[in-house]
Every structure is written in structure tokens, then in C-alpha cells.
Amino acid sequence: MKKASDDWYKNKTWNGSIDSRFEDGLKRTRNSSNKAEYLQVQGCYLLDSQQANIREVGINLLSRLFSDYPAEYLSILAAQEKLGDYYLQQKNIDQALHYFTMVMDHCAQQNSRTGSSGMADLKWAEAILKTNQPAKLEAAYQLVMQYPTALLKFNDAKFYYAELAAHICDR
């Protein structure tokens, strides 16, 4: 049975005592890969908060992940994509594009989408669509049309793809 102390890195809110418990948990963790994962998980949890100050803590934890553990690609990739999602939701399209581009570039370099949702390029195209940038719309169209649809395993992903493709073609 899981104890509450096992979830020290899965808080949905933040305060001084949670911060202390989190930092203590990180100090007890020896493996840098695990530390990176804990920062990534906790930061991503906090990005889903309704409170702006809590989301800011999440952004700071993810920034810390990037600076302290730059070699931990899987944690970084997941965090970059989550930040792209977050900024897209917040309508900060430039920041969303920045993070989606980082994920896309890494996936292209590795010739693999491992560590990401596999849909960062579609999310990039969605961000371009929302900015109404005619100069980049052709690139967004090409990304969507060349996307390997066999990767779309779930109905919500298939619907997302079809809707995005329809909107891009409409433009």
C-alpha cells in the first residue's frame, strides 16, 4: 500500500512546508535521473493549478530541471512539451512555439518521438494556425499532411488531427 510520503513530488498546490518536504525528498535522491524526473513531475503538476502563483512555481521547477539536469533528455522533453501546452493554453503563442520547436528538433535529431507525446509537430501547427501567420501556414500544412497517422492510436488524437487538418486546409 502506498503511503502519502511516497507522493512527495506529486503536489497539486504549494506552500512552505510542501517546498521543504520536496527539497528534502530531492536531497535524499541519489540518482540525477530520478531527481530530474521528480522536478519534471512536480513542475508539470503545478502547471495545472488554477492559481497563477502556483503555476509560476511549476515553471520555476521546470526551469531548474533544464539548468540542473541538461543531460536528462526524457524528463526535459516531457517538460518542454508540457510548457508548450501550457503556453498555448495561456495564449502565449511565441513561448508555445519555442517549446514545441525544441521538442520537434530533438525528435528529428534522434529520429524518434520517444519521450514526447509524438504530437509536438501537430501542436506547433495548431499554434501557427492560432497566430494567423500566412508565411508559416504552408509549413504547418506540410507538417500535418506528412504526419504519420498510424501514430494516432486513440480516438481523441484522431479527432484532434482531423479537426486540425480541416482548419489548416480551410485557411
Side-chain angles (χ1 to χ4, degrees):
M1 182 166 189
K2 257 183 146 174
K3 298 182 289 184
S5 62
D6 292 342
D7 291 338
W8 58 268
Y9 60 96
K10 294 181 179 179
N11 301 287
K12 294 184 179 181
T13 190
W14 203 256
N15 58 39
S17 66
I18 292 172
D19 181 58
S20 295
R21 192 171 62 240
F22 181 77
E23 292 300 331
D24 289 344
L26 276 183
K27 286 177 189 169
R28 286 191 308 272
T29 304
R30 293 183 187 183
N31 183 316
S32 64
S33 177
N34 290 345
K35 286 182 182 187
E37 182 180 356
Y38 297 146
L39 283 165
Q40 181 260 318
V41 169
Q42 184 60 77
C44 289
Y45 264 81
L46 296 178
L47 285 182
D48 292 332
S49 174
Q50 297 297 315
Q51 298 175 303
N53 62 323
I54 302 297
R55 292 191 305 265
E56 192 62 36
V57 172
I59 292 168
N60 290 337
L61 289 174
L62 295 178
S63 295
R64 186 171 153 196
L65 162 65
F66 302 151
S67 64
D68 293 357
Y69 303 99
E72 300 301 333
Y73 299 111
L74 291 178
S75 291
I76 287 175
L77 207 57
Q80 287 170 332
E81 187 166 359
K82 178 67 176 182
L83 279 168
D85 293 338
Y86 168 75
Y87 285 120
L88 186 60
Q89 178 187 23
Q90 298 295 312
K91 298 180 179 31
N92 185 338
I93 304 301
D94 289 337
Q95 281 293 91
L97 288 169
H98 170 74
Y99 284 107
F100 291 143
T101 299
M102 292 174 79
V103 174
M104 291 166 46
D105 289 349
H106 178 80
C107 291
Q109 285 175 340
Q110 301 301 313
N111 198 27
S112 171
R113 296 171 188 259
T114 301
S116 75
S117 71
M119 296 174 59
D121 38 3
L122 296 179
K123 295 173 186 181
W124 182 89
E126 178 187 356
I128 291 299
L129 185 63
K130 288 183 178 193
T131 62
N132 197 20
Q133 297 181 46
K136 292 186 178 180
L137 204 52
E138 178 63 27
Y141 172 80
Q142 292 301 324
L143 275 175
V144 171
M145 293 300 111
Q146 294 171 7
Y147 184 81
T149 56
L151 295 176
L152 302 169
K153 302 294 183 195
F154 299 104
N155 287 337
D156 62 336
K158 291 175 185 177
F159 180 77
Y160 173 77
Y161 172 81
E163 185 178 38
L164 178 62
H167 285 295
I168 288 181
C169 287
D170 184 51
R171 286 273 175 89

